[in-house]
Amino acid sequence: MEPPLTIQDQLVAVTIGLVTLIGILAVIARVPLIYNVRNLMVRWRITLLTAMAFMMVVGLLVVMLAFVNGMYRLTESSGRPDNLIILGQGTQDEVFSSLGFTDVDSIETVAGIARDSENRPLVSKETYVIVNQPVVAPQKGRPRRRFLQMRGVQIPEISGEVHDVNLQGDWFSQAGVRQAAETDKDQSTLIEAVLGEGIARTLGSDRTPEQVANAKNRDRLDVGDEFTCGDRRWIVVGIMKSMGKSFDSEIWAKRELVGRMFGKETYTTMVVRGENRAEAARLVNYFGSEWGKASLQPMLETTYFNNLNGTNQQFLIAIIIVAVIMSIGGVFGVMNTMFAAISQRIKDIGVMRLLGFDRSQILISFLLESMLLAVVGGGIGCLLGSLSDGWTANSIVGSGQGGGKSVVLRVTVDWAIIMYGMLFSLIMGAIGGLLPALSAMRLKLLETLR
Amino acid sequence: MKLLVLMLKNVRRNILRTILTSLGTIILVFVVTLVWSVLEFLDAATTEKSQNLKCIVTERWQIPSQMPFSYSKALEQFAWHGPNDEQPLDNMMTWQFYGGTIDPTKRTFDSVLFAIGLEPRKMFTMMDELDSLPPREKAELKAIADRMTEQRNGIIVGPGRLKLLKKQIGDTVKVTSFNYRGIDLEFEIMGTFPASVSRYDLSAAMNRDYLNNAMDAWARTNNKPHAMANKNMNLAWFRYPDREMFEQRADEIMNSVDFKDVPIKCETASSGISAFLEAYRDLLWGMRWLLCPAILFTLSLVIANAISISVRERQKELAVMKVLGFLPGQILILVLGEALALGILCGVVSSGGTFILVNKVFGGVAFPIAFFGAFNISPNALWWGPAVGGMTAFIGSFLPAWSARTVKVSEVFSKVT
């Protein structure tokens, strides 16, 4: 069976359909399009101002949609369809979850769980905490504390495989700690940590200019660098190259150390890799209804991250509301332009009628003129807006019911967003041009020539 | 005076254009007013105060903060006793978060009830915005708090949450808890938060004794303490008259031996809120430095467009005015004045209308960010509107006005046929 069309496909189809319809109208109605184009060029100042209004509204819409698109992509790419995530009963967010050791101690023995090359079950046992950490050197006007997302994992190699982590450097050792170098005056024990690139950048910004000047990597912390968390010194042993995933903002360390330091002695999360998607779905049912040791809340990892789209939807709705309101303001500007264009060309309209153009052709002519403005202004707006592609931004993804994860996302402009921008612009142009075009159509021939 | 009359006549000359430009201005000022109100509120919430400041005591490292309730007694010694306190410890309050659903079979956002366990009478001495209510609303809230103190299963619910729950005052609700597992409580809804205070629109407040007694009962029944027994206090709030006292008491709290089991920290409320809002930093930056300037620029363009058309259509008239003795400066002022009159008037209508509509009719604009659910329009919007309308009108109309000023009589009449 053919897969159903996605919203993006439908959008592209609608936009292309609309543009084609305009072209067909222009051809069938035999509208003197060149006349409209020349009029726009003659009144270039007004044309420019109106096109700039389109440009601003559409450009802004593209940037805002690209931001939300980045959030959606992040939540979509953070989960695997053959992974399932198990939380404590009644919780939807890792931070509120609690799984007793005895509740899940034999989980690896369940049939259907995938295994790694050493025949170890791919089960990642994790304790996730949010640490409220003082900022080392807070800048003026910026918060003095920040939230660090810390994930304690039992066997890092397995967790890395379950979560598809691309690691630069090493995982932390069995002990999870190491002694400071002999040359170090402070001979305290350092906790080994693996950092996502996003949080490595954030923590790297705490360094003094001298430290940055001497650093191995000036943009972020790198392997061998140190940072402070929870009154202890930590050393970076690896960097997760996980841009665009929620792990990009996390610090991973030995689970026992994390739990003890931050008062969370139980697991919060189990992430299990099924042998395949069907097995993963079966395991969700098994842990949800047949696991006898405790009540659990299992779900596919993709479902979990879909549930974190609540904030995305809130932002999307807010953006649509703002864009629509702004566009209404812009539409009034277009109407002004088109009404002025008609009032200045009343005699032209009369001459066109004398030449044999009927009322519908006059209507289409002015409507097309308005939409031409929209295409030019909207097109430039889309181009300007697409410059935001690739920006990184801090945000939060969550269910929209409290909690959530701080993430570093990549602002992403794709064709669907460009199509949204153009469609939006065309609709603005059509609405803004319709009333003036109707008024032009209704002009009486004798009145126009008087 | 003559110029003023001319300005107003010109504004009325093309009614359709005036209406379209006005509507465009009103709508764009509306968006700016909304966005600035949100930003102003968040700025105020994160600005450090030097006097009458609130501070929060929370668990030192972990979010969400969970401390033993026994800490509340030990913390009392650090509270400030104000000269006008109506009851002991008016300047300290504890919060215990109790969350659950009224429909355990289908947990949705609409069926969730999230209540703050507190001492009801502290609501109007310690809670932001409830502590500065007008007398009538304060008396109403006080009456509800008194009832909640007497009848411990009482609960006060925000108007928005009450609507989502499809309940009304006087109804009872049974809540199946998801953070205090096994402690399901039945509440009687005794009232709602005042509609003028939008920040508690989706929240609720309950008597903390009701929760604590239920935990004691659970322990007696099960012969063991509940899993949340040592994690059942989430925050403690203090109010201090000045920064000096705050710093001294914060230091004492952080170094007290009473709080060694679960380490705690003490920070100003604004500092705590700043940390929560850090995740929204780029979004707020975008609202402040991309969205608002873009709207203002669009507004200037809309006005510039209208005035340009108007000036273009009136070339002959402007030339005649010059012949009649009007100075170029007067013509400049005439065109600028038209735009300013329109911009300022539309600004007043827009911001005034937004203020009344959002605050009085809708009870705030819903924009969930961190723990703020809805925002009211700032009273400052009443001057932002005319200022924005006037400023954008001035910027948008300056070039067209300048071109009107420099109209050359000979050129205009040379084209007349």
Side-chain angles (χ1 to χ4, degrees):
Chain A
M1 198 174 78
E2 287 289 312
L5 284 176
T6 63
I7 290 176
Q8 279 86 344
D9 295 336
Q10 291 170 20
L11 195 65
V12 171
V14 168
T15 312
I16 291 173
L18 203 60
V19 172
T20 313
L21 184 69
I22 292 167
I24 291 170
L25 273 177
V27 173
I28 291 179
R30 286 183 289 126
V31 171
L33 205 56
I34 193 71
Y35 164 76
N36 298 101
V37 174
R38 278 187 184 149
N39 265 302
L40 287 176
M41 286 163 69
V42 167
R43 295 177 300 113
W44 66 270
R45 283 193 189 88
I46 307 290
T47 303
L48 186 69
L49 287 174
T50 316
M52 279 169 76
F54 275 108
M55 182 191 81
M56 290 307 297
V57 174
V58 174
L60 202 62
L61 177 74
V62 167
V63 175
M64 292 192 294
L65 287 178
F67 179 85
V68 177
N69 193 26
M71 290 174 72
Y72 272 107
R73 289 193 170 210
L74 185 134
T75 46
E76 280 163 14
S77 62
S78 292
R80 280 182 60 116
D82 50 355
N83 275 0
L84 59 140
I85 185 164
I86 300 172
L87 303 176
Q89 174 67 24
T91 49
Q92 298 287 329
D93 196 326
E94 285 181 276
V95 78
F96 302 115
S97 172
S98 179
L99 295 165
F101 293 124
T102 51
D103 295 348
V104 287
D105 57 358
S106 56
I107 223 164
E108 298 96 328
T109 59
V110 174
I113 294 177
R115 291 176 173 269
D116 70 358
S117 53
E118 295 172 35
N119 203 31
R120 293 178 295 182
L122 288 174
V123 176
S124 176
K125 298 182 170 184
E126 304 167 1
T127 297
Y128 174 80
V129 290
I130 299 180
V131 179
N132 191 337
Q133 178 70 23
V135 177
V136 178
Q139 294 165 13
K140 199 178 172 207
R142 298 294 302 279
R144 293 177 192 177
R145 305 183 80 90
R146 72 161 65 95
F147 298 150
L148 297 177
Q149 297 175 96
M150 185 79 65
R151 191 176 295 276
V153 297
Q154 195 96 14
I155 307 172
E157 295 82 6
I158 288 190
S159 297
E161 190 164 346
V162 169
H163 290 295
D164 284 340
V165 169
N166 178 8
L167 183 73
Q168 174 203 315
D170 298 313
W171 288 112
F172 37 86
S173 61
Q174 185 77 19
V177 292
R178 69 172 62 168
Q179 201 58 38
E182 283 180 7
T183 51
D184 200 329
K185 284 179 195 163
D186 178 2
Q187 277 297 300
S188 57
T189 310
L190 305 178
I191 302 177
E192 297 169 340
V194 171
L195 269 55
E197 268 188 310
I199 191 66
R201 258 194 307 277
T202 305
L203 292 173
S205 69
D206 288 348
R207 294 173 296 183
T208 60
E210 295 77 39
Q211 286 172 320
V212 172
N214 297 322
K216 193 163 127 189
N217 187 327
R218 293 183 180 192
D219 296 329
R220 58 165 168 80
L221 293 186
D222 212 330
V223 174
D225 289 336
E226 288 184 28
F227 64 98
T228 306
C229 180
D231 283 344
R232 293 286 300 270
R233 288 169 68 196
W234 296 60
I235 185 163
V236 182
V237 295
I239 297 285
M240 289 186 275
K241 309 282 275 181
S242 47
M243 180 72 184
K245 289 187 173 188
S246 64
F247 311 116
D248 195 46
S249 311
E250 291 184 356
I251 300 170
W252 287 19
K254 185 81 182 161
R255 197 202 64 76
E256 288 82 352
L257 295 171
V258 170
R260 205 176 310 135
M261 274 185 77
F262 303 112
K264 193 108 182 178
E265 297 284 7
T266 60
Y267 298 121
T268 57
T269 320
M270 295 276 132
V271 184
V272 178
R273 170 79 54 84
E275 286 174 349
N276 49 47
R277 290 182 187 197
E279 272 304 313
R282 190 192 64 76
L283 286 169
V284 168
N285 283 332
Y286 174 76
F287 288 118
S289 53
E290 293 174 41
W291 182 254
K293 292 192 171 184
S295 294
L296 304 175
Q297 180 93 33
M299 64 193 99
L300 288 176
E301 203 177 32
T302 45
T303 309
Y304 173 76
F305 282 104
N306 269 340
N307 291 342
L308 294 184
N309 277 333
T311 17
N312 305 358
Q313 280 167 5
Q314 285 169 353
F315 286 161
L316 187 61
I317 290 167
I319 284 167
I320 289 170
I321 291 171
V322 168
V324 167
I325 296 173
M326 273 185 74
S327 70
I328 294 172
V331 161
F332 290 124
V334 183
M335 280 189 182
N336 252 342
T337 305
M338 293 312 295
F339 272 123
I342 288 160
S343 73
Q344 284 164 13
R345 283 148 60 188
I346 288 180
K347 282 202 171 64
D348 293 12
I349 295 168
V351 172
M352 283 169 77
R353 293 285 307 280
L354 279 179
L355 288 173
F357 289 99
D358 63 23
R359 286 174 188 273
S360 64
Q361 286 173 304
I362 302 289
L363 173 86
I364 292 168
S365 166
F366 280 96
L367 203 54
L368 284 179
E369 189 171 318
S370 157
M371 292 175 85
L372 194 63
L373 260 173
V375 169
V376 174
I380 299 171
C382 286
L383 273 178
L384 285 179
S386 61
L387 294 178
S388 67
D389 185 54
W391 289 356
T392 54
N394 289 290
S395 189
I396 194 159
V397 292
S399 61
Q401 300 178 33
K405 291 177 191 295
S406 299
V407 292
V408 180
L409 60 93
R410 186 190 167 95
V411 176
T412 309
V413 180
D414 57 19
W415 279 109
I417 286 177
I418 298 291
M419 288 292 154
Y420 269 119
M422 286 311 294
L423 190 62
F424 198 76
S425 187
L426 281 172
I427 292 170
M428 269 174 72
I431 295 173
L434 186 64
L435 274 184
L438 279 172
S439 78
M441 183 188 85
R442 293 179 59 193
L443 282 173
K444 290 190 175 121
L445 182 57
L446 280 177
E447 281 175 12
T448 58
L449 296 172
R450 231 170 241 158
Chain B
M1 190 64 197
K2 197 164 63 179
L3 267 180
L4 191 67
V5 173
L6 261 177
M7 268 178 218
L8 295 176
K9 277 188 175 169
N10 283 334
V11 169
R12 287 167 48 200
R13 185 196 305 238
N14 189 327
I15 295 292
L16 179 66
R17 185 175 306 141
T18 302
I19 289 173
L20 289 173
T21 312
S22 303
L23 288 173
T25 308
I26 286 170
I27 282 176
L28 292 172
V29 170
F30 166 73
V31 183
V32 173
T33 306
L34 285 182
V35 175
W36 279 2
S37 289
V38 172
L39 292 175
E40 190 204 37
F41 178 88
L42 296 176
D43 283 345
T46 53
T47 302
E48 291 286 355
K49 292 204 273 183
S50 57
Q51 292 199 316
N52 188 27
L53 66 164
K54 280 187 181 164
C55 80
I56 319 173
V57 173
T58 48
E59 188 178 345
R60 186 159 198 177
W61 299 119
Q62 219 194 131
I63 298 288
S65 156
Q66 291 176 325
M67 301 172 282
F69 184 73
S70 56
Y71 275 18
S72 67
K73 196 74 195 161
L75 281 167
E76 284 177 3
Q77 59 183 305
F78 301 103
W80 169 63
H81 297 268
N84 300 318
D85 282 7
E86 289 178 17
Q87 54 186 329
L89 303 170
D90 252 358
N91 295 299
M92 178 203 167
M93 172 175 64
T94 59
W95 276 13
Q96 293 165 263
F97 298 138
Y98 177 83
T101 174
I102 62 165
D103 183 1
T105 57
K106 191 181 167 196
R107 182 180 149 185
T108 62
F109 179 67
D110 290 1
S111 70
V112 165
L113 183 64
F114 178 81
I116 304 164
L118 41 70
E119 295 159 276
R121 285 177 181 141
K122 300 280 179 71
M123 280 192 293
F124 49 86
T125 64
M126 278 301 287
M127 283 175 80
D128 287 340
E129 294 186 49
L130 296 181
D131 55 7
S132 54
L133 285 173
R136 194 178 57 82
E137 287 187 331
K138 185 177 176 180
E140 285 172 5
L141 185 68
K142 196 167 184 292
I144 298 169
D146 287 344
R147 277 192 66 203
M148 285 170 67
T149 308
E150 297 303 317
Q151 189 183 323
R152 289 177 178 172
N153 70 338
I155 190 166
I156 180 168
V157 185
R161 176 52 57 192
L162 203 57
K163 205 170 158 188
L164 290 175
L165 294 173
K166 298 185 180 70
K167 297 286 177 189
Q168 48 191 334
I169 297 167
D171 286 353
T172 54
V173 285
K174 171 94 187 279
V175 178
T176 305
S177 178
F178 42 68
N179 61 336
Y180 285 84
R181 235 177 283 171
I183 299 184
D184 303 334
L185 301 175
E186 192 169 279
F187 294 99
E188 181 185 333
I189 301 169
M190 291 184 166
T192 66
F193 289 115
S196 59
V197 182
S198 55
R199 68 163 67 185
Y200 305 113
D201 189 50
L202 294 174
S203 308
M206 62 182 282
N207 189 330
R208 70 177 189 184
D209 293 344
Y210 188 40
L211 174 62
N212 293 337
N213 290 350
M215 289 189 76
D216 292 342
W218 191 96
R220 281 195 299 274
T221 310
N222 294 280
N223 287 321
K224 62 176 183 182
H226 189 272
M228 292 291 285
N230 276 321
K231 301 175 175 179
N232 55 343
M233 188 174 87
N234 301 95
L235 304 174
W237 290 88
F238 290 88
R239 189 205 307 271
Y240 294 115
D242 51 47
R243 180 159 282 278
E244 194 182 353
M245 183 182 281
F246 156 70
E247 280 170 1
Q248 181 203 333
R249 297 283 168 95
D251 205 38
E252 288 169 8
I253 291 171
M254 304 264 271
N255 293 313
S256 169
V257 289
D258 293 330
F259 312 116
K260 290 295 176 201
D261 291 345
V262 178
I264 59 174
K265 67 175 187 299
C266 183
E267 61 186 330
T268 57
S270 52
S271 165
I273 293 168
S274 293
F276 270 99
L277 288 177
E278 184 64 1
Y280 297 91
R281 186 182 73 211
D282 290 338
L283 184 77
L284 298 175
W285 183 91
M287 284 167 67
R288 194 187 303 270
W289 299 114
L290 284 180
L291 182 63
C292 287
I295 295 171
L296 295 178
F297 189 58
T298 309
L299 181 52
S300 294
L301 287 172
V302 169
I303 292 172
N305 192 14
I307 300 292
S308 293
I309 293 167
S310 170
V311 168
R312 189 185 155 96
E313 284 175 358
R314 284 158 52 195
Q315 294 267 314
K316 266 184 264 176
E317 179 190 317
L318 295 169
V320 169
M321 285 174 77
K322 276 199 167 177
V323 170
L324 289 175
F326 280 87
L327 297 171
Q330 286 177 310
I331 291 178
L332 179 86
I333 291 170
L334 183 71
V335 178
L336 278 179
E338 284 172 39
L340 279 171
L342 204 65
I344 292 171
L345 189 69
C346 292
V348 169
V349 171
S350 180
S351 57
T354 309
F355 183 82
I356 293 166
L357 202 68
V358 171
N359 292 6
K360 309 290 177 194
V361 180
F362 294 114
V365 56
F367 183 62
I369 187 165
F371 27 69
F372 304 111
F375 293 85
N376 276 339
I377 300 299
S378 164
N380 286 331
L382 297 174
W383 70 263
W384 293 343
V388 166
M391 186 70 79
T392 48
F394 180 81
I395 293 168
S397 63
F398 190 78
L399 278 182
W402 190 262
S403 82
R405 178 191 177 275
T406 53
V407 158
K408 287 199 170 69
V409 177
S410 55
E411 275 183 20
V412 171
F413 286 114
S414 70
K415 290 176 192 166
V416 175
T417 53

